[in-house]
Amino acid sequence: APDVYLFAARELGFQPEQCAVIEDSLMGIEAGKRGGFFTIGVATGGASLKELQESSYKPDSAYESF
């Protein structure tokens, strides 16, 4: 559920399309995508780069690390 991301964007005065969600989990990426956010996947332990790139909710960008 994207509720926490939507709440944070609203509190900051932004629309989801003006924000980015940075996540290392497939569930986090899915929540960001469902909320209408630009998503960045980082393979830091939650999911591998391959898993991020092949998931049904692919992040807009994916990286091995930051």
Side-chain angles (χ1 to χ4, degrees):
D3 300 355
V4 69
Y5 298 126
L6 293 169
F7 175 79
R10 189 171 42 251
E11 287 294 304
L12 293 170
F14 292 102
Q15 295 297 313
E17 58 273 4
Q18 296 174 294
C19 303
V21 167
I22 302 171
E23 267 288 347
D24 68 348
S25 74
L26 298 176
M27 290 177 61
I29 295 294
E30 179 180 351
K33 297 296 282 182
R34 286 180 181 253
F37 294 85
F38 184 86
T39 57
I40 301 169
V42 183
T44 58
S48 70
L49 184 60
K50 183 177 179 174
E51 289 172 317
L52 290 170
Q53 293 170 330
E54 294 178 355
S55 70
S56 56
Y57 286 93
K58 293 177 184 63
D60 296 297
S61 294
Y63 302 92
E64 192 68 43
S65 66
F66 256 126

